[in-house]
Amino acid sequence: MHPKHSASAPWEKAASHPAESKYLLTRLPNTFAKAFIPPLIKAIIPNLNNRSKNTMPLKIAQIGSDGHQNMVLDGIAHIPGAQLIACAKGHPDDTLAKVKAHAAFTAHTRLYDDHRHMLDTEEIDLVSICRPYSLNAEASIAAANRGIDIVSEKPVATTLKDLDALEKAVKNSGIRLTAMFGLRLSPAFRAAHQAVQDGLIGEPILATAQKSYRFGTRPDFFKQRETYGGTIPWVAIHAVDYTRWTTGREYTQVAALHGNLAHPDYPGCEDHGGMLFRLSNGGTAMINLDYLLPSTAPTHGDDRLRIAGSEGVIEVIDDRTHLIRSGAEPRDLPLPLEENFLVNLHGERTGTAPHIIGPDEAIKVTRLCLQAREAADTGNVLTL
Amino acid sequence: MHPKHSASAPWEKAASHPAESKYLLTRLPNTFAKAFIPPLIKAIIPNLNNRSKNTMPLKIAQIGSDGHQNMVLDGIAHIPGAQLIACAKGHPDDTLAKVKAHAAFTAHTRLYDDHRHMLDTEEIDLVSICRPYSLNAEASIAAANRGIDIVSEKPVATTLKDLDALEKAVKNSGIRLTAMFGLRLSPAFRAAHQAVQDGLIGEPILATAQKSYRFGTRPDFFKQRETYGGTIPWVAIHAVDYTRWTTGREYTQVAALHGNLAHPDYPGCEDHGGMLFRLSNGGTAMINLDYLLPSTAPTHGDDRLRIAGSEGVIEVIDDRTHLIRSGAEPRDLPLPLEENFLVNLHGERTGTAPHIIGPDEAIKVTRLCLQAREAADTGNVLTL
């Protein structure tokens, strides 16, 4: 960790054993952790609840505005003490207009042309990074090397080389990296995840998932692989993530296809594709992706997931979670409340509940997508 | 053609140029054929409409009762002159109970223990073959060699060797082979096919299809690959067929997975799987299959198809056909009327409209499934 920041980050000072309180939660199975860890922490660290961690300052910075920066910005108002202390351009032409227009941006938010200058100047607890996708890894590595926790737009890197460098920087610094896998927090996907964890469909055997986007207007950096990264890592990554997370099974093999047939001005932006994964239990997962939803489509995303298991089928479609299970009438499951990403992450920081994305998962899922992209580029079946 | 049958089949005698009236229709594009061929035939063969082809005898035989024999039997009542003249056991223990209970079975229907004896004894125009799947090809070859037209349960063969032999027999005899791809006649799939042919979604780019069955009670011959053939050729073949037919694009490459995780007593019967096809236009098709629908599922089959094209998305789901197209409100398409398979085939025989399954397609689609099965068995990507 960068000495300055490791010493001065206020939330780290608050706990007797910051590393334990921060990471212990997420190394254990979710259900176990949810039930037993908060009381455990209270027992081990008696002072924890005597401190007002929820009202301590949480100094947040934003780099860039090409992504889902609102996932972090929207949460600031819900965390007492949280502030957007600074923001930096993601690239020289970045106006940061969307950040400046957000309520989290105040008269006290300092503006920087250069993110490295910002990282060196400000005392930052957590940085949100939303640059053109190929540039995110560089900023994350810079933040990690300075001991700053990171919320990165996904993919956290667009090449395996950058990903390896980022993984190393994260490991060396011990910072917390998470990625904007926003759909994990959607009520419908959380309900599906919980249903599978609770055994309602038995062993998950066949999963099928869909991402379907309108093309609309896309920035120029979408035109080249080098700057965009590809549609598997940018769009399908959500489904690669939520299918793995919901089934609770790893992918062991992938075959994939992708291409661009309808958007010739954007040759680096595949407008369709598909992935066929073997699951670690011998099952199958398939994910399809496209940018072919017409402008009149009632939805953007059209996120779907269906998991057929040994004892039932669960399906997320049209923001509902439907369960068909032997011995019971088919039914929609009750959905949990909407939850903000930053608030969820803050829960881990204050020791109340693990963050929904485990410590290694931002790197892991990005690597899976870069490997699937390679499978599609080469036509080979890859072992994962 | 077998001399006896080629000379005596009544429907062949009726037309001056039986071969032309029977096959010309199906070599031309569907829409062209539908619009121009019936008047053309009337012009070339002036006597055609003077003959009462619809009331000529159509002598039908049935072999076996392990399949969708009702697709043929149900149509007999709707074709004046059609009769079930004979039926033969599909295997020694076949009771033919379901055939005997059908209204098409009359006091005049003769029963045979041995199908070859029946084929040699009766004057048959058309035979429907529904034996345990690995045995269908043998009976089809026997019928082809005797000049008898065939409606075969799919897959028309369960090995590439049998399929090659069947293809040869069909070519040598010139008989008409069709397969029980019943879903081509479902109103929802016909509407989707027509919409794509009419250009309503532009170029088809990404197709995804689903077959999902209840396992229920399955015959013993489902337990071994040798007698069953596999779930890709038995279940997924419908989706392999309707996806190819609806998109109007060929498959050029396949990767696949399949396995059995929930039904260990039936090791030869894969209970799940998936196929990833490259389309001839560079697009992608994905098909998933399972036997995992619980007994409480409201549907059996759960046939779905979604095609995202350059100008719209069409989707068959829950027996509806939904269109999302640029510049128009999303809407369900009107569906054509239900049509019987035998009646549809008879339309081709009487020169009124081509049969919905082209002359080479029963062989072609079966071969695609056997290749996909091989891709799943070996883990290799196969060029088709």
Side-chain angles (χ1 to χ4, degrees):
Chain A
M1 262 185 215
H2 186 284
K4 186 180 81 172
H5 288 86
S6 67
S8 63
W11 66 266
E12 290 199 343
K13 283 186 193 152
S16 321
H17 303 286
E20 283 78 356
S21 68
K22 196 174 168 194
Y23 297 116
L24 180 63
L25 298 183
T26 52
R27 286 201 205 100
L28 294 164
N30 232 1
T31 45
F32 175 81
K34 277 181 184 159
F36 298 109
I37 295 302
L40 193 66
I41 288 174
K42 285 178 198 165
I44 298 171
I45 314 164
N47 284 338
L48 188 70
N49 283 319
N50 299 330
R51 295 167 185 267
S52 302
K53 284 202 76 176
N54 281 335
T55 56
M56 290 190 315
L58 174 64
K59 294 181 181 174
I60 295 171
Q62 174 69 41
I63 300 175
S65 56
D66 285 280
H68 297 86
Q69 56 278 348
N70 283 6
M71 284 177 60
V72 168
L73 297 180
D74 289 351
I76 291 175
H78 301 285
I79 300 173
Q83 311 162 40
L84 182 67
I85 61 160
C87 55
K89 290 182 176 186
H91 56 94
D93 297 332
D94 186 7
T95 62
L96 289 169
K98 286 182 284 182
V99 179
K100 289 177 189 168
H102 196 282
F105 184 90
T106 71
H108 303 291
T109 307
R110 289 170 289 278
L111 282 166
Y112 289 83
D113 282 338
D114 181 77
H115 64 278
R116 287 170 172 266
H117 182 45
M118 177 182 78
L119 295 175
D120 285 332
T121 308
E122 300 286 341
E123 288 200 356
I124 300 165
D125 299 320
L126 181 76
V127 63
S128 161
I129 299 176
C130 295
R131 306 175 73 192
Y133 317 137
S134 65
L135 305 177
N136 284 332
E138 184 275 334
S140 286
I141 293 168
N145 289 343
R146 289 162 177 79
I148 300 169
D149 284 359
I150 301 163
V151 178
S152 171
E153 182 56 277
K154 17 58 49 182
V156 300
T158 56
T159 66
L160 285 169
K161 191 180 160 203
D162 282 358
L163 187 68
D164 290 342
L166 174 58
E167 184 174 33
K168 197 173 157 193
V170 169
K171 280 194 177 146
N172 288 345
S173 64
I175 61 104
R176 178 65 157 108
L177 168 71
T178 189
M180 293 179 176
F181 299 143
L183 285 160
R184 283 212 195 180
L185 279 172
S186 100
F189 284 100
R190 282 170 64 201
H193 169 79
Q194 196 57 50
V196 177
Q197 299 304 108
D198 292 346
L200 296 188
I201 64 163
E203 181 71 16
I205 295 177
L206 174 69
T208 48
Q210 170 173 292
K211 292 293 299 177
S212 180
Y213 280 10
R214 302 189 199 104
F215 193 72
T217 307
R218 298 277 158 186
D220 274 356
F221 76 82
F222 274 55
K223 291 182 176 172
Q224 278 87 39
R225 164 69 65 85
E226 292 67 30
T227 49
Y228 169 59
T231 304
I232 289 176
W234 169 241
V235 173
I237 192 169
H238 289 290
V240 171
D241 176 59
Y242 62 62
T243 302
R244 173 182 173 274
W245 175 65
T246 308
T247 59
R249 300 295 176 276
E250 292 291 347
Y251 307 125
T252 62
Q253 202 180 60
V254 66
L257 293 171
H258 60 185
N260 179 320
L261 293 184
H263 302 95
D265 291 350
Y266 284 72
C269 179
E270 300 87 9
D271 62 10
H272 74 282
M275 285 169 274
L276 176 66
F277 289 103
R278 193 189 295 271
L279 295 177
S280 50
N281 66 353
T284 298
M286 303 177 78
I287 294 168
N288 58 279
L289 54 130
D290 72 76
Y291 266 121
L292 299 167
L293 271 188
S295 54
T296 43
T299 55
H300 178 75
D302 226 354
D303 286 285
R304 295 182 188 175
L305 172 66
R306 180 181 185 269
I307 309 175
S310 57
E311 292 170 37
V313 176
I314 196 150
E315 180 161 22
V316 174
I317 186 166
D318 299 336
D319 298 321
R320 296 182 303 121
T321 305
H322 191 71
L323 175 69
I324 307 174
R325 179 173 154 72
S326 293
E329 283 301 299
R331 64 186 172 111
D332 277 1
L333 295 180
L335 302 185
L337 293 176
E338 194 93 42
E339 196 174 338
N340 173 269
F341 191 85
L342 181 66
V343 171
N344 181 276
L345 176 63
H346 192 61
E348 179 178 294
R349 299 172 66 89
T350 55
T352 54
H355 179 44
I356 199 154
I357 298 157
D360 301 324
E361 293 192 313
I363 299 280
K364 170 97 189 174
V365 174
T366 299
R367 181 166 284 121
L368 289 167
C369 289
L370 298 182
Q371 290 170 312
R373 184 185 71 182
E374 187 188 334
D377 285 344
T378 61
N380 295 326
V381 178
L382 297 187
T383 298
L384 301 172
Chain B
M1 260 185 218
H2 188 284
K4 186 181 84 174
H5 288 88
S6 68
S8 64
W11 66 266
E12 289 201 346
K13 283 184 193 153
S16 318
H17 304 284
E20 283 78 356
S21 68
K22 195 174 168 196
Y23 297 116
L24 180 64
L25 298 183
T26 52
R27 288 201 204 100
L28 295 164
N30 233 1
T31 46
F32 176 83
K34 277 181 183 160
F36 298 109
I37 296 301
L40 192 66
I41 289 174
K42 286 178 196 164
I44 298 170
I45 315 163
N47 284 339
L48 188 68
N49 284 321
N50 299 332
R51 295 166 185 268
S52 304
K53 284 202 74 176
N54 282 334
T55 57
M56 290 189 316
L58 174 64
K59 295 181 178 172
I60 295 170
Q62 174 69 40
I63 300 174
S65 55
D66 285 281
H68 298 87
Q69 56 276 350
N70 283 7
M71 284 178 60
V72 168
L73 297 179
D74 289 351
I76 290 175
H78 301 284
I79 300 172
Q83 309 161 42
L84 181 67
I85 62 161
C87 54
K89 291 183 175 184
H91 56 94
D93 298 330
D94 187 7
T95 63
L96 288 168
K98 286 182 285 182
V99 179
K100 290 176 187 169
H102 196 281
F105 185 89
T106 71
H108 303 291
T109 307
R110 290 170 290 277
L111 282 165
Y112 290 83
D113 282 341
D114 181 79
H115 64 278
R116 287 169 172 266
H117 182 43
M118 177 182 79
L119 294 174
D120 285 333
T121 308
E122 301 285 343
E123 289 201 353
I124 300 164
D125 299 322
L126 182 76
V127 64
S128 161
I129 299 175
C130 295
R131 306 175 73 193
Y133 317 136
S134 65
L135 304 176
N136 284 331
E138 184 276 333
S140 286
I141 292 167
N145 290 341
R146 289 162 177 79
I148 300 169
D149 285 358
I150 300 161
V151 179
S152 171
E153 181 57 276
K154 19 58 47 182
V156 300
T158 55
T159 67
L160 285 168
K161 190 179 162 203
D162 282 359
L163 186 68
D164 290 342
L166 175 58
E167 183 173 35
K168 197 173 159 192
V170 169
K171 280 194 177 147
N172 288 344
S173 64
I175 60 103
R176 179 64 157 107
L177 169 71
T178 190
M180 293 179 176
F181 299 142
L183 285 160
R184 283 212 195 182
L185 279 172
S186 100
F189 284 101
R190 282 170 65 203
H193 170 78
Q194 197 58 50
V196 176
Q197 299 304 109
D198 292 347
L200 297 187
I201 63 161
E203 182 71 17
I205 295 177
L206 174 70
T208 47
Q210 170 173 291
K211 293 293 300 176
S212 181
Y213 280 11
R214 300 190 199 103
F215 193 72
T217 307
R218 299 277 158 186
D220 275 356
F221 76 83
F222 274 54
K223 290 181 177 173
Q224 279 86 39
R225 164 69 63 86
E226 293 67 30
T227 49
Y228 169 58
T231 305
I232 289 176
W234 169 241
V235 174
I237 192 169
H238 288 290
V240 171
D241 177 59
Y242 62 61
T243 302
R244 173 180 173 274
W245 174 64
T246 308
T247 59
R249 301 294 177 276
E250 293 292 348
Y251 306 124
T252 62
Q253 202 180 61
V254 66
L257 293 171
H258 62 185
N260 180 320
L261 292 185
H263 301 96
D265 290 350
Y266 284 73
C269 179
E270 301 87 9
D271 62 10
H272 74 281
M275 286 170 273
L276 176 67
F277 289 104
R278 193 189 294 272
L279 296 177
S280 50
N281 66 353
T284 297
M286 303 177 78
I287 294 168
N288 57 282
L289 54 130
D290 70 78
Y291 268 121
L292 299 168
L293 271 187
S295 55
T296 42
T299 57
H300 178 75
D302 225 355
D303 285 287
R304 296 183 186 175
L305 172 67
R306 180 181 185 267
I307 309 176
S310 56
E311 293 170 37
V313 176
I314 196 151
E315 180 161 23
V316 174
I317 186 166
D318 299 335
D319 298 321
R320 298 182 302 120
T321 306
H322 190 72
L323 176 69
I324 308 175
R325 179 172 153 72
S326 293
E329 283 299 301
R331 64 188 173 110
D332 276 1
L333 295 180
L335 303 185
L337 293 175
E338 194 93 43
E339 196 173 337
N340 173 269
F341 191 84
L342 182 66
V343 171
N344 180 277
L345 177 63
H346 192 59
E348 179 178 294
R349 298 171 68 88
T350 55
T352 54
H355 179 44
I356 199 155
I357 298 157
D360 302 325
E361 293 191 314
I363 299 281
K364 170 96 189 174
V365 174
T366 300
R367 181 166 284 122
L368 290 167
C369 289
L370 298 182
Q371 291 170 312
R373 185 185 70 182
E374 189 188 331
D377 285 344
T378 61
N380 294 326
V381 178
L382 297 186
T383 299
L384 301 172

